[in-house]
């Protein structure tokens, strides 16, 4: 019995051991299976999450890219490669074109002022000075003129040579002619001190509140709080999203007046170019008042500043102050950049010392922006003009192309200084590329 019981007990024990072993094996297998399922599930979840996040990022990136490339007139197009499966985004901008014309010094002294005096002796009108070139200004977006003569008010008297001053009616005539940017950084801006600048800007502020008067600023901003300060800031013009900046600097400005008249020095030039870029200007036109009076020779200072402008990426230089015509060059900047430089546009209107002072020029050019953001300067030329000195309303400016010897003989200087004389002077200054028949110099940039 005991043996049977022992066998029975042994058998039962073996069964329990087998049963326990079987149950433990199945549990381990089940646990491992569950771990595999959990791993697969986690991996699947991660894959789904990655796909969701990645897709959202791509969508968001495309939206941001679209917003960036469609700002300021830009657009984005896609082009498929040969396989037809891959698209490449191409950023484009709105094509645009800005045309500009610039004239030289308006020196209203002596007989220029007298030509505008009316019969009662107190009223003035100067529209006749520009009547023969008014049509020439039509169609240009920007028409610049150098206001060499202050409009400081009647209390300072009119005329003069060393200290210039003209009736404010001269400004009215300039605007009526079509000039819409007044350059005023020059050595005569302070002929009547800072009070004279205040008088002129106060008048402009009332007469033409939106007209940009560049290169001078109100000495006491509290007096003219609404007048834009283009000495402390930069003037920009925008057309179809295409922004052009115009800078105006003058040599010979003392330390006490540098906040009133924009100085020509390296620090100021660099500052203004940088500011123009910060404002989004794609093209910069600089208008320096520089050089030696009554000399067609280009000075070392002019060349040094021209090279600085070119190095900084300025696109066009329009020089004034010598009161005679000087040559035109295309300068090399950095990375193949080209700068069109008119060293001096001479005088638009003058009654000064010699016939060379009666010869000036109109700079004309157009800047085109293509849809890929590049731009070109085209149709660049210089068209000489002549001050015809004569009695009364006959006093005025002619395009040299229109200035016949017959017209010249109706003036005070016509038998000596006629079309033939001025054509010869243009050939001497501008070179053999000057076209005497067309009365213009064409420039390739």
């Amino acid at each position: 019995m005991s043996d049977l019981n022992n066998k029975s007990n042994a058998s039962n024990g073996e069964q329990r051991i087998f049963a326990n072993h079987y149950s433990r094996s199945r549990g381990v297998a089940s646990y491992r299976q569950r771990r595999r399922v959990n791993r697969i599930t986690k991996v699947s979840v991660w894959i789904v999450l990655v796909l969701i996040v990645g897709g959202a990022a791509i969508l968001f990136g495309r939206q941001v890219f679209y917003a960036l490339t469609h700002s300021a007139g830009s657009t984005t197009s896609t082009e498929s490669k040969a396989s037809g499966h891959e698209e490449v985004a191409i950023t484009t901008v709105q094509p645009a074109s800005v045309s500009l014309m610039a004239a030289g010094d308006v020196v209203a002294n002596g007989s220029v002022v007298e030509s505008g005096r009316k019969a009662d002796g107190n009223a003035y009108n100067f529209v006749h000075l520009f009547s023969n070139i008014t049509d020439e200004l039509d169609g240009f977006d920007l028409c610049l003129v150098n206001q060499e003569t202050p409009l400081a008010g009647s209390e300072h008297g009119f005329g003069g040579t060393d200290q210039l001053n003209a009736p404010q009616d001269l400004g009215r005539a300039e605007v009526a002619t079509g000039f819409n940017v007044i350059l005023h950084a020059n050595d005569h801006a302070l002929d009547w001190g800072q009070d004279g600048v205040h008088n002129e800007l106060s008048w402009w502020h009332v007469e033409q509140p939106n007209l940009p008067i560049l290169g001078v600023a109100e000495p006491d901003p509290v007096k003219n709080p609404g007048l834009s300060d283009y000495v402390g800031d930069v003037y920009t013009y925008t057309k179809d999203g295409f922004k052009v900046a115009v800078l105006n600097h003058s040599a010979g400005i003392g330390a006490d007046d540098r906040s009133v008249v924009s100085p020509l020095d390296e620090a100021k030039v660099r500052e203004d170019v940088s500011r123009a870029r910060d404002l989004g200007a794609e093209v910069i036109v600089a208008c320096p008042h520089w050089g030696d009076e009554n000399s067609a020779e280009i000075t070392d200072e002019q060349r040094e500043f021209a090279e600085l402008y070119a190095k900084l990426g300025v696109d066009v230089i329009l020089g004034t102050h010598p009161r005679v015509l000087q040559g035109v060059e295309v300068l090399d900047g950095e990375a193949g950049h080209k700068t069109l430089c008119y060293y001096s546009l001479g005088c638009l209107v003058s009654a000064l010392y010699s016939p060379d002072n009666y010869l000036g020029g109109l700079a004309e050019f157009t800047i085109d922006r293509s849809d890929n953001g590049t731009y070109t300067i085209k149709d660049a030329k210089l068209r000489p003009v002549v001050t015809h000195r004569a009695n009364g309303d006959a006093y005025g400016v002619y395009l040299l192309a229109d200035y016949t010897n017959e017209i010249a003989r109706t003036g005070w200087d016509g038998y000596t200084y006629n079309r033939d004389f001025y054509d010869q002077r243009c050939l001497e200054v501008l070179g053999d590329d000057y076209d005497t028949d067309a009365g213009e110099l064409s420039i390739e940039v």
Side-chain angles (χ1 to χ4, degrees):
M1 288 291 296
S2 60
D3 289 337
L4 289 174
N5 288 335
N6 289 337
K7 289 181 179 180
S8 176
N9 289 336
S11 175
N12 289 338
E14 289 173 356
Q15 289 176 357
R16 284 196 297 272
I17 292 172
F18 177 77
N20 289 340
H21 176 74
Y22 176 76
S23 176
R24 189 179 299 113
S25 300
R26 290 186 63 184
V28 170
S30 176
Y31 172 73
R32 288 174 176 173
Q33 183 176 3
R34 288 196 304 273
R35 287 187 64 186
R36 284 194 298 271
V37 171
N38 287 340
R39 287 173 181 172
I40 293 171
T41 302
K42 288 180 179 179
V43 170
S44 299
V45 170
W46 275 108
I47 291 173
V48 171
L49 288 174
V50 168
L51 291 174
I52 292 173
V53 173
I58 291 172
L59 178 60
F60 179 75
R62 285 185 175 179
Q63 289 175 337
V64 170
F65 181 76
Y66 181 89
L68 289 173
T69 55
H70 281 69
S71 63
S74 64
T75 60
T76 301
S77 61
T78 58
E79 290 184 2
S80 297
K81 290 186 176 180
S83 64
H85 298 296
E86 186 174 357
E87 291 185 341
V88 178
I90 299 175
T91 302
T92 62
V93 295
Q94 180 181 357
S97 180
V98 173
S99 56
L100 189 148
M101 190 280 294
D105 302 352
V106 175
V107 184
N109 63 321
S111 58
V112 175
V113 171
E114 288 304 310
S115 75
R117 189 191 296 271
K118 296 304 161 189
D120 62 7
N122 296 316
Y124 292 86
N125 189 321
F126 295 99
V127 172
H128 64 279
L129 289 176
F130 313 108
S131 60
N132 296 310
I133 63 167
T134 299
D135 291 345
E136 183 62 25
L137 276 64
D138 289 346
F140 286 97
D141 296 306
L142 294 176
C143 294
L144 286 58
V145 66
N146 181 48
Q147 186 66 54
E148 183 82 0
T149 304
L151 309 178
S154 59
E155 62 266 35
H156 297 298
F158 301 132
T161 299
D162 296 327
Q163 283 184 289
L164 300 175
N165 189 38
Q168 291 160 347
D169 303 272
L170 178 62
R172 292 191 179 98
E174 291 166 352
V175 173
T177 301
F179 292 107
N180 56 13
V181 177
I182 305 297
L183 306 173
H184 215 335
N186 60 60
D187 56 315
H188 285 280
L190 291 163
D191 274 3
W192 303 101
Q194 295 189 4
D195 286 342
V197 174
H198 166 71
N199 290 346
E200 178 170 356
L201 291 182
S202 297
W203 176 79
W204 278 120
H205 184 47
V206 173
E207 185 77 14
Q208 295 286 336
N210 298 317
L211 184 72
I213 313 296
L214 308 190
V216 291
E218 169 58 54
D220 184 358
V222 176
K223 295 179 181 178
N224 278 331
L227 190 67
S228 297
D229 174 12
Y230 295 122
V231 172
D233 208 343
V234 168
Y235 170 70
T236 60
Y237 170 82
T238 304
K239 178 183 177 184
D240 298 330
F242 186 27
K243 186 173 288 188
V244 176
V246 183
L247 317 179
N248 191 198
H249 306 114
S250 178
I253 304 302
D256 294 337
D257 297 315
R258 295 162 77 86
S259 64
V260 179
V261 180
S262 180
L264 179 67
D265 64 37
E266 182 173 350
K268 178 61 171 172
V269 169
R270 289 182 178 276
E271 175 186 336
D272 283 355
V273 171
S274 177
R275 174 60 176 157
R277 298 298 186 201
D278 290 343
L279 291 172
E282 297 172 69
V283 167
I284 299 178
V285 177
C287 304
H289 203 70
W290 58 3
D292 291 340
E293 287 187 356
N294 303 310
S295 173
E297 296 296 323
I298 299 168
T299 66
D300 291 341
E301 181 187 48
Q302 286 175 280
R303 294 196 181 278
E304 289 171 3
F305 276 103
E307 290 174 3
L308 175 62
Y309 282 128
K311 179 180 178 181
L312 295 176
V314 169
D315 300 282
V316 182
I317 302 170
L318 301 167
T320 56
H321 177 64
R323 297 185 179 176
V324 299
L325 271 183
Q326 291 181 340
V328 182
E329 291 181 352
V330 177
L331 307 176
D332 293 323
E334 295 184 346
H337 183 270
K338 301 292 184 181
T339 299
L340 173 60
C341 181
Y342 297 82
Y343 282 101
S344 174
L345 298 177
C347 291
L348 177 64
V349 177
S350 172
L352 286 170
Y353 316 104
S354 76
D356 287 340
N357 298 134
Y358 313 148
L359 179 64
L362 302 181
E364 303 176 5
F365 54 90
T366 298
I367 307 170
D368 283 349
R369 182 180 70 181
S370 66
D371 61 358
N372 64 6
T374 61
Y375 61 88
T376 55
I377 299 174
K378 69 176 189 179
D379 300 330
K381 61 183 66 173
L382 176 68
R383 306 188 70 187
V385 293
V386 174
T387 296
H388 177 70
R389 303 195 309 159
N391 295 326
D393 290 352
Y395 207 115
V397 182
Y398 282 86
L399 284 172
L400 184 54
D402 298 333
Y403 195 59
T404 65
N405 290 339
E406 288 72 24
I407 294 174
R409 284 194 290 269
T410 67
W412 302 342
D413 311 302
Y415 286 93
T416 306
Y417 309 132
N418 54 22
R419 169 67 181 273
D420 298 331
F421 173 86
Y422 289 118
D423 272 336
Q424 182 59 39
R425 295 298 291 134
C426 288
L427 285 169
E428 293 170 4
V429 174
L430 302 177
D432 293 338
D433 289 336
Y434 171 71
D435 186 338
T436 56
D437 293 330
E440 67 181 37
L441 172 70
S442 296
I443 307 125
E444 292 292 331
V445 182

